[in-house]
Amino acid sequence: MVYDYVIVGGGIVGMSTAWQLKQRHPEKSVILIEKEGLYAKHQTGHNSGVIHAGVYYAPGSLKAKFCKEGVAATIQFCQQNDIAYDQCGKLLVATNSVEKERMLALYERCQQNGIEVELIDEARLKELEPNIVGVGGILVKDTGIVNYQQVTTAMAMRFEEMGGVTRLNTEVVGLSESAEDVTVSVMSNGKPDAVRARFLITCSGLMADRTTRMLGIETDFQIIPFRGEYYRLPAHYNNIVKHLIYPIPDPDLPFLGVHLTRMIDGSVTVGPNAVQGWKREGYGKLNISLRDIWDMVTFSGFWKVLKANFRVGLVETKNSWWKPGYLKTVQKYCPQLKLSDLEAYPAGIRAQAVMKDGSLVHDFLFAESARSLHVCNAPSPAATSAIPIGNYICDKVADKTGSGNAAGQAA
Ligand SMILES: Cc1cc2nc3c(=O)[nH]c(=O)nc-3n(C[C@H](O)[C@H](O)[C@H](O)COP(=O)(O)OP(=O)(O)OC[C@H]3O[C@@H](n4cnc5c(N)ncnc54)[C@H](O)[C@@H]3O)c2cc1C
């Protein structure tokens, strides 16, 4: 059989796309292929679970737009599907005069992005969060928390109820495109097989560059894995904060800084940091992959990123191995925490697209051919934004297939 649409990747972006495509085109055949035995096993299942309000993103960027839309869409999806979420709000805390200046710039950005926020002084900060110290902050009321694995699983259920097909334990190992269709070569439970479809969409996270290139599309970026390491606080600290507590980020760095995150299960995590990963889907500190390392060291962009961030990289790496250093990053705003309060918690790995010139791609990035569309960069807040991203992909596919309704018509 030739499917109308095949989607590669059962993380939240792929599943949101599959669910929305099937919703738009109930009469079309849609199949989603995932190499793992369950959905959301990688980035979607190893993140902070924050429904971001859209504080940080460049005005006019896809990130700013999709994040703002994503908050409302995620909450509506949770309400409709009986998924627990909590709009507990977040506090960005400045701890010195440099951070206070950065905080004001961030406040400006919130205004430009139409995010409702409140600037608070030291006294109000103390009133809101007695266990947190700082010279001021930004209160973002719309920020929330959820379990994105649960969201993805609910999307999968909705997709399958409408007749969508899913194939787990099926790894895409090759792609080819003809004038009529796309052939997806797979290894399914150890056996070679092929799936044909009129249109292909890849949402393969940490493997985004590889699946895009499988079709012969030339790319000038590569995925570099950045580990995000967490700790969890002991249960008696579950109420240490009422909001999520974030530092004011350094605008020159792409990650948000170690934060205190209330999780939807009631626990509180500390993290994530940002350190170089040596295996794209390897979560242990010592995990390495020779293929992943080879791909990095033979890519000029990797060395340029390393050079540009050498000092910060060294500090992050030191703190990754030396717990007291890690603790200091959070004691800055939560001084009562001690070394023994940092309990083990699984790490996540970010898929960060890096260009040949060493620049990090901040916005969502897509590539395409006549019969395919590829999500090449979907970093945070792509979990928050997954519904608008899926909707955007459905629109693009409709444009490319020449009609809002027919993948089968000439692409
Ligand atoms: C540490 C960390 C913290 C984060 N915190 C937040 C947060 O609080 N809020 C937020 O909004 N975002 C957050 N993010 C970002 C968010 O988790 C990701 O942007 C989002 O999950 C990306 O989803 P995805 O579907 O693109 O990728 P993934 O979830 O990685 O899914 C990709 C899927 O493709 C599959 N795949 C890959 N190659 C193949 C192949 N060849 N064949 C078949 N299947 C394949 C993989 O197995 C995987 O299941 C965080 C990310 C990290 C790492």
Side-chain angles (χ1 to χ4, degrees):
M1 120 169 233
V2 180
Y3 288 90
D4 290 304
Y5 305 107
V6 58
I7 293 138
V8 178
I12 196 165
V13 174
M15 197 52 85
S16 159
T17 304
W19 158 62
Q20 293 183 78
L21 256 183
K22 190 66 189 161
Q23 210 170 30
R24 280 199 196 190
H25 310 290
E27 75 291 359
K28 298 283 174 193
S29 51
V30 185
I31 180 170
L32 180 139
I33 297 176
E34 165 57 51
K35 67 180 160 54
E36 306 293 349
L38 70 160
Y39 307 119
K41 191 166 175 212
H42 293 294
Q43 293 176 96
T44 305
H46 287 88
N47 62 32
S48 305
V50 178
I51 307 173
H52 284 291
V55 168
Y56 310 95
Y57 315 118
S61 62
L62 287 176
K63 258 193 185 177
K65 177 174 157 28
F66 291 163
C67 187
K68 192 151 192 279
E69 294 168 8
V71 180
T74 305
I75 287 172
Q76 191 188 30
F77 186 84
C78 290
Q79 287 168 346
Q80 288 169 347
N81 291 276
D82 218 5
I83 297 169
Y85 71 95
D86 181 4
Q87 259 184 308
C88 54
K90 118 174 173 180
L91 266 169
L92 284 135
V93 177
T95 57
N96 55 43
S97 56
V98 175
E99 289 178 2
K100 203 164 179 184
E101 223 165 277
R102 287 178 184 158
M103 177 183 86
L104 295 175
L106 214 50
Y107 179 73
E108 277 301 306
R109 181 158 274 193
C110 294
Q111 307 296 311
Q112 288 163 354
N113 283 336
I115 313 291
E116 214 182 298
V117 292
E118 186 189 329
L119 262 187
I120 59 168
D121 61 13
E122 193 170 347
R124 175 103 170 104
L125 175 63
K126 200 85 232 142
E127 193 188 321
L128 287 172
E129 292 288 358
N131 293 315
I132 297 298
V133 297
V135 293
I138 302 177
L139 173 63
V140 192
K141 289 202 181 104
D142 281 348
T143 304
I145 49 174
V146 72
N147 179 328
Y148 284 112
Q149 219 157 12
Q150 271 178 19
V151 174
T152 310
T153 306
M155 284 173 177
M157 281 165 66
R158 301 290 86 84
F159 172 61
E160 285 169 359
E161 278 162 13
M162 288 184 289
V165 178
T166 48
R167 271 180 78 172
L168 292 170
N169 296 308
T170 301
E171 179 169 8
V172 174
V173 292
L175 295 169
S176 63
E177 181 175 344
S178 72
E180 288 76 37
D181 57 32
V182 177
T183 302
V184 181
S185 305
V186 296
M187 286 299 284
S188 194
N189 293 307
K191 292 199 189 95
D193 195 0
V195 174
R196 283 174 62 205
R198 301 219 184 277
F199 200 89
L200 162 78
I201 300 156
T202 67
C203 310
S204 50
L206 284 147
M207 302 298 167
D209 49 350
R210 291 182 184 157
T211 47
T212 305
R213 277 181 215 132
M214 271 182 199
L215 207 55
I217 296 175
E218 281 196 21
T219 58
D220 48 5
F221 74 92
Q222 188 146 311
I223 295 294
I224 304 288
F226 286 98
R227 292 172 61 75
E229 295 165 336
Y230 293 91
Y231 291 99
R232 180 171 32 209
L233 297 184
H236 65 264
Y237 275 138
N238 280 2
N239 295 313
I240 190 171
V241 286
K242 298 185 198 79
H243 305 82
L244 312 180
I245 309 294
Y246 279 65
I248 303 288
D250 180 339
D252 293 336
L253 302 177
F255 305 118
L256 304 182
V258 166
H259 41 92
L260 278 179
T261 312
R262 291 181 47 199
M263 305 301 276
I264 200 68
D265 65 4
S267 62
V268 176
T269 59
V270 184
N273 63 357
V275 285
Q276 181 63 58
W278 302 106
K279 183 172 183 187
R280 292 188 184 199
E281 293 177 347
Y283 295 93
K285 241 189 180 60
L286 295 173
N287 282 173
I288 58 163
S289 150
L290 291 181
R291 180 183 177 192
D292 293 350
I293 292 174
W294 177 254
D295 279 0
M296 275 193 287
V297 300
T298 53
F299 174 62
S300 58
F302 168 73
W303 295 105
K304 288 173 185 152
V305 173
L306 205 67
K307 195 172 161 207
N309 298 284
F310 190 67
R311 206 188 62 79
V312 178
L314 269 188
V315 173
E316 286 286 291
T317 306
K318 181 202 82 185
N319 291 345
S320 157
W321 289 97
W322 192 59
K323 223 166 146 183
Y326 194 109
L327 179 67
K328 267 195 188 152
T329 61
V330 66
Q331 272 179 334
K332 242 174 89 168
Y333 52 83
C334 189
Q336 75 186 75
L337 293 180
K338 305 179 299 295
L339 214 49
S340 56
D341 295 329
L342 300 185
E343 297 180 346
Y345 191 80
I349 302 176
R350 305 172 182 89
Q352 176 61 56
V354 174
M355 304 304 284
K356 277 187 186 151
D357 66 5
S359 56
L360 306 186
V361 181
H362 294 297
D363 212 353
F364 302 133
L365 180 72
F366 301 87
E368 54 189 88
S369 70
R371 285 193 175 272
S372 71
L373 185 69
H374 307 264
V375 179
C376 299
N377 192 49
S380 184
T384 308
S385 316
I387 297 176
I389 296 175
N391 185 50
Y392 173 84
I393 293 173
C394 291
D395 285 347
K396 292 275 271 186
V397 171
D399 285 350
K400 286 180 72 67
T401 52
S403 128
N405 238 354
Q409 289 169 6

